[in-house]
Amino acid sequence: MTARIGVVTFPGSLDDRDTQRAIRLAGAEPVALWHKDKDLHQVDAVVLPGGFSYGDYLRAGAISRFSPVMGSVIEQAKAGLPVLGICNGFQVLTEAHLLPGAMLGNDHLHFICRDQKLRVESAETAWTADYTAGQEIHIPLKNMDGRYVADERTLDELEAEGRVVFRYAEVNPNGSLRDIAGITNAAGNVVGLMPHPEHAVEPLVGSGRTDGLPFFTSILKKLVNA
């Protein structure tokens, strides 16, 4: 049976269709989920896509965190449902306390859009198994509030537990502490990152690279082999 991966659309989501396409290219079935609908429609995993949900009013992701769908996402994520948060989705995951820390405005106070080099720090999560630790990849990055911050104790715990999944390589584009570009929860089923893997899944569009496709093949293999 084909794995079904839900993609949530909030008001202001921009990359939900791109994410659905990436899921389809990986061989899974994308399922559109609406932010006002508590029903996850029995999906096997969920992606919170990039964009500017609710215009990033208050704080990026702060309003979306209270959308009806997030009650179900939080409950099922704590029970083991794989969840990926991309850019704005990462911000929502921190606001929902499914991931620690917070996202602040870029240290240079400008929106950034670039092809960003990353180093894979962990291939042990549900979303990164098709990568190799230490591998360097290029993933498009576009954000205004992409600076990851946390207190020193939290940062030390993330490091000690191997929960830093990606770091910015060569240049830190937004001032994120310890060059952190993506993290995971302790169970490894919830991952958030600022760069956009859905824009690097086929050579003819987006960045012209396929470095982002393993996010979606990783989760597909996990679901098929579960």
Side-chain angles (χ1 to χ4, degrees):
M1 187 169 63
T2 304
R4 303 172 74 248
I5 302 178
V7 180
V8 178
T9 297
F10 300 100
S13 293
L14 299 179
D15 302 300
D16 44 347
R17 297 295 181 90
D18 301 74
T19 303
Q20 291 176 26
R21 177 171 175 77
I23 291 167
R24 192 176 294 111
L25 286 172
E29 176 188 351
V31 178
L33 300 176
W34 185 236
H35 69 112
K36 287 188 176 181
D37 189 356
K38 293 182 179 180
D39 188 355
L40 297 184
H41 301 283
Q42 298 180 319
V43 296
D44 303 301
V46 168
V47 180
L48 306 181
F52 301 91
S53 60
Y54 291 94
D56 281 350
Y57 291 117
L58 298 182
R59 293 183 309 276
I63 300 177
S64 293
R65 176 262 179 271
F66 293 101
S67 293
V69 73
M70 285 305 298
S72 300
V73 170
I74 291 169
E75 178 183 1
Q76 295 198 33
K78 290 179 178 179
L81 180 75
V83 178
L84 175 65
I86 301 170
C87 195
N88 189 228
F90 186 8
Q91 295 160 344
V92 174
L93 290 177
T94 61
E95 290 289 340
H97 304 297
L98 285 174
L99 292 175
M103 311 302 300
L104 300 181
N106 298 340
D107 59 354
H108 44 71
L109 303 181
H110 294 287
F111 181 84
I112 188 169
C113 183
R114 56 174 292 156
D115 196 19
Q116 177 66 45
K117 189 175 184 179
L118 302 177
R119 184 173 64 254
V120 180
E121 298 288 346
S122 173
E124 301 299 320
T125 80
W127 298 92
T128 59
D130 271 357
Y131 291 109
T132 302
Q135 181 179 353
E136 293 186 341
I137 60 176
H138 290 80
I139 301 289
L141 175 73
K142 51 178 186 176
N143 63 71
M144 181 68 188
D145 299 295
R147 178 162 53 109
Y148 180 76
V149 298
D151 60 83
E152 285 298 311
R153 178 178 177 181
T154 298
L155 292 170
D156 289 342
E157 286 180 353
L158 290 172
E159 301 276 14
E161 296 173 7
R163 291 168 54 194
V164 176
V165 182
F166 297 96
R167 290 189 209 271
Y168 298 114
E170 294 184 354
V171 62
N172 184 325
N174 47 35
S176 291
L177 297 181
R178 304 195 190 182
D179 300 327
I180 290 175
I183 61 173
T184 183
N185 65 342
N189 64 303
V190 178
V191 171
L193 80 160
M194 286 309 296
H196 286 259
E198 77 280 8
H199 294 327
V201 294
E202 50 189 336
L204 294 180
V205 297
S207 69
R209 301 174 184 268
T210 59
D211 291 6
L213 191 59
F215 276 90
F216 306 101
T217 58
S218 293
I219 190 61
L220 178 58
K221 289 179 181 178
K222 176 177 176 58
L223 295 173
V224 169
N225 294 327

